[in-house]
Amino acid sequence: MVVKTVSAALQGIDATPVYCETSASLGCRIIMIGLPDTAVKESRDRIESAFREAGLRFPRHQITINLAPADVRKEGSLYDVPIAVAIMAVGQIIKTDKINDYMMVGELSLDGCVKTVKGCLPFAILAREMKMKGIIVPRENAREAAVVNNLEVLVADNLQNIIDFMNGKSELERVEVNTRQLFYAAENNFTADFADVKGQNAVKRAFAIAASGGHNLIMVGPPGAGKSMMAKCLPSILPPLSLSEALETTKIHSVAGLRSASGLITQRPFRSPHHSISSAALIGGGQNPMPGEVSLAHNGTLYLDELPEFSRSVLEVLRQPLEDRQITIARAKNTVVYPSSVMLVASMNPCPCGYYTHPTKQCTCTAMQVQKYLGRISGPLLDRIDLQIEIAPLSFDEMSQTTASEPSTAIRERVVKARQRQEERYRDHPLIHCNAQMTSAQIREYCQLDDRSMRVLRNAMSKLDLSARAYDRILKVARTIADYEGLDQITSTHIAEAISYRNLDRTNRGY
């Protein structure tokens, strides 16, 4: 008799079905085929121990287990449960009536408990696409899988639970999640607010424009000017996630083994890696490719503090994902693609000592040191940063002011309205959601300038020696400024403001 159970394997952030085909014949050993890795091969020892703890006798036959399709590499311990169920069915320990109705994932501990696995959300989505009745998962993964509608998500705490369920002696606990309630609970639940930032009104406006159009932004200023604080306030003014964005973001975190307590990520991610991070940790990779920080920040913000302190090679790998909004990781055995549509926010000092632009403190750096410090960031990377802002430290009067600053909720209302204008504009372009994602064709269509605006832009291009990419970025930012102000036509004022945000794009790369 051949018994087939259904599981899955991860390919990027999506899942593909894997069938555990099991048969018994004369002999006394276990044969496992179908391109399993070491963790999968070790499952035989975990399963035998789990059988003993459950008081079961392991079938005294030659058990052949084929993980099909054979050309898909199987990795990890998630196949323990489907293999164990298939062996029990072959040994006539359980009935086979329900086996083909449910996908199964889970690792078995030596005492028979079912432990958590990575990638449960993609597995649940695949189970629904395959029109299966449900999925059996570990308790820790239940809420994550339950965000998928029209699918039974059943919890198995141990092997005995599954045996009783398959034999009809008891039911497994079913978990359901109300995604609407999750979104409502997450609304305006932020730890940082622009109301706590005193002064810096021009910088706050730049942040609002960046949030409105999904633009990259860099801040340059001395220590203590508030760069990190304002970066942490950015999530509070970003538009809320849509359900499709939340699912895609949660899938990436699920594949990386990062679970949300509620099961669904309902706020835009904010990732802030240390400057000692490696290229593989930033963009993803490894022997068994996993998503990196850029992908974990998908649909949110990637904040790089002290940008020049990052390795030059690490910064250069950002160029392709910032442009294409996805990362392709090629290996000899497979190629995976991870989405990486992020807002890059960076901050840096103007020089090694930090006080080159400080109004009162004297800089101790030489001109050569300043140029070398700024030169750690390449021109092509700066070209991909739309807003380049200089920040000055606050005066005593600004720090001691008692009047409240504008809260993030007020700024967010204007940002949301600007995004709604863009959604309406790009309703016929499903891959374009904000101005920062416009292609050259959309720039020509939606960023038309009058004669005065064109003269302002021509003069700036000539005097600042800007690149063609900077030209496109200026038009995109100007389009966003007009949207932020509720205007259909880009004016020369919008162009001038967009040009003012290109401070680091000059030929001398200094101040």
Side-chain angles (χ1 to χ4, degrees):
M1 178 176 71
V2 175
V3 174
K4 182 187 298 184
T5 57
V6 184
S7 190
L10 289 172
Q11 291 187 329
I13 64 169
D14 297 313
T16 185
V18 170
Y19 300 94
C20 302
E21 301 171 343
T22 306
S23 66
S25 58
L26 294 177
C28 188
R29 62 173 179 160
I30 298 177
I31 302 173
M32 192 174 295
I33 56 178
L35 210 60
D37 72 351
T38 303
V40 179
K41 292 177 181 177
E42 291 173 347
S43 66
R44 70 186 73 179
D45 301 314
R46 293 189 292 270
I47 292 171
E48 285 189 24
S49 177
F51 271 47
R52 288 194 299 269
E53 291 297 321
L56 302 176
R57 182 179 178 183
F58 201 85
R60 298 304 176 187
H61 302 288
Q62 175 173 294
I63 306 294
T64 303
I65 303 166
N66 178 40
L67 301 176
D71 60 341
V72 175
R73 185 160 186 81
K74 290 56 175 205
E75 301 168 347
S77 55
L78 64 96
Y79 302 103
D80 288 5
V81 168
I83 291 174
V85 169
I87 291 174
M88 288 190 293
V90 166
Q92 298 181 349
I93 298 172
I94 61 172
K95 299 177 181 178
T96 59
D97 302 349
K98 301 178 181 178
I99 283 182
N100 293 326
D101 294 334
Y102 295 91
M103 180 180 288
M104 307 172 203
V105 294
E107 175 186 339
L108 285 176
S109 63
L110 296 182
D111 61 359
C113 292
V114 181
K115 300 172 68 175
T116 182
V117 296
K118 297 179 181 179
C120 214
L121 179 56
F123 298 153
I125 294 173
L126 175 65
R128 185 179 63 180
E129 291 174 351
M130 295 174 65
K131 302 187 184 306
M132 304 196 74
K133 187 176 181 180
I135 182 171
I136 299 175
V137 299
R139 182 170 295 277
E140 292 85 351
N141 297 112
R143 290 187 63 83
E144 176 187 320
V147 301
V148 180
N149 298 325
N150 303 320
L151 183 73
E152 286 186 15
V153 177
L154 304 182
V155 174
D157 289 319
N158 51 59
L159 191 60
Q160 189 63 52
N161 293 158
I162 300 175
I163 295 171
D164 294 341
F165 173 70
M166 292 296 177
N167 288 332
K169 294 182 179 180
S170 64
E171 294 295 322
L172 292 175
E173 179 185 342
R174 182 173 178 177
V175 176
E176 296 180 350
V177 169
N178 188 331
T179 54
R180 290 184 180 272
Q181 187 177 14
L182 289 179
F183 273 94
Y184 180 77
E187 189 174 358
N188 296 328
N189 184 21
F190 301 101
T191 57
D193 194 292
F194 273 108
D196 301 324
V197 180
K198 297 181 179 180
Q200 305 291 12
N201 292 329
V203 182
K204 291 179 185 177
R205 176 176 171 84
F207 267 91
I209 292 168
S212 298
H215 301 289
N216 302 325
L217 177 149
I218 186 171
M219 298 171 282
V220 184
K227 302 186 294 294
S228 298
M229 182 179 183
M230 283 186 281
K232 292 174 182 177
C233 292
L234 178 60
S236 65
I237 65 172
L238 290 173
L241 282 170
S242 65
L243 181 58
S244 61
E245 287 177 325
L247 282 172
E248 188 175 32
T249 303
T250 307
K251 280 174 66 176
I252 299 171
H253 285 243
S254 174
V255 170
L258 304 175
R259 296 185 304 277
S260 170
S262 63
L264 183 69
I265 294 176
T266 54
Q267 292 185 352
R268 295 188 181 274
F270 182 89
R271 306 290 298 186
S272 180
H274 191 261
H275 60 74
S276 61
I277 191 171
S278 66
S279 299
L282 185 63
I283 67 165
Q287 183 176 0
N288 300 322
M290 295 293 291
E293 290 292 329
V294 179
S295 295
L296 292 173
H298 179 61
N299 291 323
T301 304
L302 177 67
Y303 176 48
L304 303 182
D305 194 13
E306 302 298 343
L307 188 65
E309 302 301 328
F310 285 78
S311 167
R312 178 70 176 257
S313 60
V314 170
L315 292 180
E316 292 307 300
V317 300
L318 283 173
R319 287 158 57 175
Q320 183 258 339
L322 289 179
E323 197 74 21
D324 299 340
R325 299 188 179 273
Q326 67 178 22
I327 296 169
T328 302
I329 300 175
R331 294 291 182 266
K333 296 179 180 178
N334 65 335
T335 299
V336 296
V337 178
Y338 294 121
S340 61
S341 181
V342 302
M343 273 186 63
L344 174 66
V345 177
S347 62
M348 59 179 288
N349 294 327
C351 66
C353 77
Y355 298 110
Y356 184 68
T357 58
H358 200 283
T360 58
K361 296 183 179 181
Q362 185 168 353
C363 174
T364 59
C365 304
T366 64
M368 181 64 69
Q369 288 175 320
V370 174
Q371 289 293 331
K372 185 177 180 180
Y373 186 76
L374 295 174
R376 294 182 185 179
I377 307 170
S378 68
L381 180 60
L382 275 178
D383 259 357
R384 290 166 169 83
I385 300 179
D386 305 343
L387 288 84
Q388 304 161 3
I389 310 161
E390 294 182 52
I391 299 181
L394 295 176
S395 64
F396 176 80
D397 292 338
E398 289 175 316
M399 286 187 288
S400 60
Q401 68 180 5
T402 56
T403 56
S405 300
E406 186 178 30
S408 291
T409 51
I411 302 174
R412 194 186 199 195
E413 287 180 5
R414 297 194 294 271
V415 169
V416 169
K417 289 181 180 178
R419 283 289 183 105
Q420 289 172 347
R421 293 175 63 88
Q422 294 166 49
E423 289 174 5
E424 177 64 22
R425 179 182 301 127
Y426 307 125
R427 63 183 183 275
D428 297 329
H429 306 282
L431 299 180
I432 308 295
H433 304 289
C434 58
N435 289 333
Q437 299 173 350
M438 280 193 291
T439 64
S440 298
Q442 273 105 40
I443 291 175
R444 290 193 299 270
E445 182 177 357
Y446 301 118
C447 300
Q448 298 181 4
L449 305 181
D450 56 24
D451 292 340
R452 183 175 181 181
S453 300
M454 188 62 74
R455 286 197 301 271
V456 172
L457 182 55
R458 182 182 295 110
N459 290 337
M461 293 293 296
S462 175
K463 292 181 180 180
L464 301 181
D465 193 22
L466 300 178
S467 68
R469 183 179 285 112
Y471 173 86
D472 287 346
R473 302 272 169 172
I474 289 172
L475 290 177
K476 291 179 182 180
V477 173
R479 176 68 270 169
T480 299
I481 296 171
D483 290 336
Y484 186 70
E485 296 180 350
L487 300 177
D488 294 327
Q489 180 61 41
I490 299 175
T491 68
S492 59
T493 304
H494 302 147
I495 290 291
E497 183 177 355
I499 293 169
S500 72
Y501 294 133
R502 306 299 302 184
N503 290 326
L504 298 181
D505 263 355
R506 299 167 188 172
T507 53
N508 61 355
R509 297 287 309 283
Y511 293 88

